């Protein structure tokens, strides 16, 4: 087989066979096929697309490029959850203890933030001592003992995707439906859960800006998961403004804790309920949506979800005291209010810009090696549809550096579109598939 022939075939609109797909994935992972040939193939795929069978084969080849975890040692139906990423998306922090408290074992792989979106692992590290670098054995033991464990993605998990994603990132070939779906699903399949609930975001803070594309991506991933023998569900949810009110690592942890105390923002609580319902149904601990919701609500009202979070944090080396007293979490020294520039209604928030403001404050990574400041970020007081008066606080900003705070404040104000006409509140849940 020759890489040249594969590139030519795809360039002419042909369909790659499973053998051809495995050939280039394996060859690239081993370093036998150079970047320039794989770049050319990625570009040909971007223009000519892949059919569902090719997409499945690519997913499976990337899954098999490294370790595939066996979670057989964990009792019960293991349910994983994946978000395509966004701003203020602290869902896993609240959702996983809720679901675990309802009896569904959660064995989850999470990633760090990159670009304008945050990552669950960075957020969890706001608990002093917390670590996601645990062995597979420890991971399995923790799930069996307390019902929940979160592990960082190891280098051995879908290494082909890691290499391909880095290449796509610099060759303008990220935004292809098949390439995104196979990239996400290869990692999820390698992580070994029995069932997967996807939270596919849509809007200015998401990867997919258009709702139609988000639905198409959700369907593509559902179909891959099912063909690979997993039970699947997907929720398409709004990311055209930050989720909840907090953006920034420790601030988001605080909001997740408040949500588990029953004092969380309405939209964030609702998303946790919606995703949690799907996880409980797939996990077999509820037969109807009503029953699932009832159990999730109980996990909050009885405090069992909050207790589960404390157990989880402690089991992974963290200090659980902050779970009961979030004021113990790290806080930034400079706290300022961001004033509304005029009267009116919030019509739009450029969500990715809010993520960039957090990045500018030091809350995200400019590159893979950057150290992040867990204490910085913003808590939004005004969201789409809200009335504002000039000088009202749009948000409270938490910063460690005055110059950065000033630059981020300007950018934050520019991200808000305030107009005379009131617009309806944004619909959070766009669909459940
Ligand atoms: N996230 C991934 O893991 N892969 C993509 O291709 C896009 C988003």
């Amino acid at each position: 087989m020759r890489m040249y022939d594969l590139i030519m075939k795809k360039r002419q609109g042909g369909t790659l066979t499973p053998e051809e797909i495995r050939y280039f994935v394996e060859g690239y992972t081993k370093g036998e096929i150079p970047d320039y040939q794989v770049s050319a193939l990625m570009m040909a795929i971007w223009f000519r697309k892949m059919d569902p069978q090719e997409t499945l084969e690519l997913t499976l080849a990337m899954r098999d490029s490294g370790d595939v975890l066996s979670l057989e040692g964990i009792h019960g139906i293991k349910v994983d959850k994946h978000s395509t990423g966004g701003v203020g998306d602290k869902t896993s922090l609240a959702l996983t203890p809720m679901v675990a408290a309802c009896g569904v074992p959660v064995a989850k792989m999470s990633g760090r933030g990159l670009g304008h979106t945050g990552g669950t692992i960075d957020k969890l590290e706001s608990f002093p001592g917390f670590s996601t670098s645990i062995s597979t054995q420890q991971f399995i033991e923790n799930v069996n003992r307390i019902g929940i464990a979160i592990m960082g993605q190891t280098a051995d998990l879908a290494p082909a995707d890691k290499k391909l994603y880095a290449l796509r990132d610099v060759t303008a070939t990220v935004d292809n439906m098949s390439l995104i779906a196979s990239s996400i699903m290869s990692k999820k399949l390698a992580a070994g859960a029995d069932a997967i609930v996807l939270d596919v975001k849509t809007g200015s803070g998401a990867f997919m800006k258009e709702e139609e594309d988000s639905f198409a991506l959700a369907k593509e991933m559902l179909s891959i998961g099912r063909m690979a023998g997993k039970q699947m569900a997907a929720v398409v949810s709004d990311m055209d403004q930050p989720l909840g009110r907090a953006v920034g690592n420790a601030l988001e942890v605080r909001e997740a804790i408040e949500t588990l105390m029953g004092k969380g923002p309405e939209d964030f609580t609702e998303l946790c309920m919606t995703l949690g319902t799907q996880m409980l149904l797939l996990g077999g601990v509820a037969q109807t949506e009503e029953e699932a919701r009832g159990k999730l609500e109980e996990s909050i009202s009885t405090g069992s979800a909050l207790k589960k979070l404390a157990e989880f944090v402690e089991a992974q080396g963290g200090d659980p005291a902050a779970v009961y007293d979030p004021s113990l979490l790290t806080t930034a020294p400079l706290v300022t209010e961001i004033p509304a520039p005029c009267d009116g209604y919030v019509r739009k928030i450029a969500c990715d810009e809010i993520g960039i403001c957090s990045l500018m404050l030091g809350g995200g990574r400019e590159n893979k090696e950057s150290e992040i400041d867990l204490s910085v970020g913003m808590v939004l007081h005004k969201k789409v549809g809200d009335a504002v008066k000039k000088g009202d606080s749009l948000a409270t900003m938490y910063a460690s550096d005055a110059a950065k705070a000033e630059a981020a404040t300007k950018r934050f104000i520019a991200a808000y579109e305030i107009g005379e006409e009131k617009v309806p509140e944004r619909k959070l849940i766009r669909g459940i598939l």
Side-chain angles (χ1 to χ4, degrees):
M1 219 175 274
R2 288 196 324 150
M3 192 59 189
Y4 178 94
D5 298 330
L6 269 63
I7 298 168
M8 179 60 87
K9 185 176 187 186
K10 199 43 140 177
R11 198 190 91 179
Q12 291 173 335
T15 305
L16 299 177
T17 65
E19 294 72 32
E20 286 167 338
I21 290 173
R22 289 219 172 237
Y23 166 77
F24 92 78
V25 171
E26 281 168 22
Y28 188 50
T29 312
K30 287 189 201 146
E32 291 165 5
I33 301 175
D35 280 351
Y36 52 83
Q37 284 189 307
V38 179
S39 306
L41 182 63
M42 290 295 115
M43 192 55 87
I45 290 174
W46 193 93
F47 277 107
R48 292 297 198 165
K49 304 193 171 28
M50 283 180 125
D51 70 20
Q53 195 58 39
E54 288 175 291
T55 309
L56 175 67
E57 290 302 337
L58 177 59
T59 311
L60 299 182
M62 292 200 292
R63 175 196 68 183
D64 297 339
S65 66
D67 294 346
V68 177
L69 278 194
S70 163
L71 300 182
E72 275 174 10
I74 299 175
H75 321 300
I77 303 173
K78 280 76 65 184
V79 185
D80 197 355
K81 169 253 164 194
H82 180 82
S83 156
T84 57
V87 179
D89 187 5
K90 73 282 297 176
T91 310
S92 292
L93 304 177
L95 174 64
T96 52
M98 283 165 69
V99 168
C102 294
V104 175
V106 179
K108 189 168 162 38
M109 292 271 168
S110 286
R112 294 190 182 276
L114 192 65
H116 72 275
T117 65
T120 301
I121 296 183
D122 297 324
K123 291 170 198 177
L124 281 167
E125 284 174 356
S126 303
F127 292 107
F130 186 93
S131 170
T132 49
S133 305
I134 53 175
S135 67
T136 310
Q137 193 191 344
Q138 184 75 59
F139 181 69
I140 291 174
E141 268 172 34
N142 285 7
V143 182
N144 277 333
R145 189 163 55 84
I146 58 168
I148 175 171
I150 296 186
M151 206 176 167
Q153 239 146 30
T154 66
D156 304 331
L157 199 97
D161 170 65
K162 205 169 184 185
K163 256 188 117 171
L164 272 173
Y165 189 76
L167 187 71
R168 286 165 54 217
D169 205 19
V170 292
T171 54
T173 50
V174 170
D175 55 342
N176 169 277
M177 200 74 77
S178 293
L179 294 178
I180 295 175
S182 57
S183 164
I184 292 175
M185 289 306 293
S186 65
K187 288 173 283 210
K188 289 285 117 183
L189 296 179
D194 305 307
I196 302 161
V197 175
L198 302 167
D199 179 12
V200 181
K201 304 290 190 189
T202 192
S204 61
F207 221 68
M208 293 285 160
K209 312 283 180 213
E210 303 300 328
E211 192 170 304
E212 198 187 335
D213 293 338
S214 303
F215 272 94
L217 178 62
K219 284 181 190 154
E220 185 95 50
M221 291 197 286
L222 286 177
S223 132
I224 294 172
R226 286 180 184 138
M227 286 195 274
K230 304 286 176 189
Q231 290 193 70
M232 301 289 301
V235 171
V236 176
S237 70
D238 184 61
M239 192 35 78
D240 220 22
Q241 63 177 338
L243 179 63
R245 298 196 172 272
V247 179
N249 296 283
L251 294 168
E252 292 186 39
V253 170
R254 178 189 289 249
E255 188 166 85
I257 292 171
E258 286 164 0
T259 303
L260 294 180
M261 291 174 168
K263 298 181 288 190
E266 211 177 298
D267 61 343
F268 178 55
T269 306
E270 178 51 31
L271 184 65
C272 290
M273 288 292 169
T274 306
L275 292 166
T277 296
Q278 297 307 316
M279 292 176 82
L280 262 54
L281 290 172
L282 290 185
V285 304
Q287 304 314 312
T288 63
E289 292 200 357
E290 293 68 39
E291 190 192 348
R293 261 186 185 259
K295 287 191 178 199
L296 291 163
E297 275 160 11
E298 221 177 276
S299 78
I300 292 179
S301 62
T302 60
S304 65
L306 194 68
K307 184 161 169 276
K308 193 54 75 187
L309 176 65
E311 286 171 4
F312 157 59
V313 168
E314 192 164 19
Q316 293 195 207
D319 180 358
V323 172
Y324 297 105
D325 180 4
S327 69
L328 295 173
L329 292 166
T330 172
T331 47
L334 300 175
V335 181
T336 49
E337 302 302 322
I338 304 178
C342 56
D343 291 358
Y345 292 95
V346 179
R347 293 176 57 81
K348 244 183 178 177
I349 302 176
C351 190
D352 46 355
E353 285 292 305
I354 304 296
I356 291 169
C357 291
S358 174
L359 200 76
M360 289 165 75
L361 293 172
R365 281 186 189 76
E366 299 283 352
N367 58 55
K368 280 188 182 155
E369 280 72 42
S370 311
E371 282 273 321
I372 62 173
D373 185 343
L374 296 168
S375 68
V376 300
M378 286 90 44
V379 175
L380 277 61
H381 304 306
K382 300 290 179 188
K383 294 188 61 175
V384 174
D386 287 346
V388 292
K389 289 252 170 276
K390 184 173 179 194
D392 276 358
S393 174
L394 293 177
T396 305
M397 180 172 279
Y398 297 81
S400 302
D401 178 300
K404 286 181 184 169
E406 198 183 325
T409 298
K410 281 199 189 115
R411 195 146 178 172
F412 189 96
I413 293 173
Y416 269 64
E417 185 184 314
I418 298 174
E420 285 177 11
E421 298 281 306
K422 183 171 166 60
V423 292
E425 278 178 24
R426 298 203 58 82
K427 192 166 175 239
L428 176 71
I429 307 295
R430 303 298 178 77
I432 301 175
L433 303 161

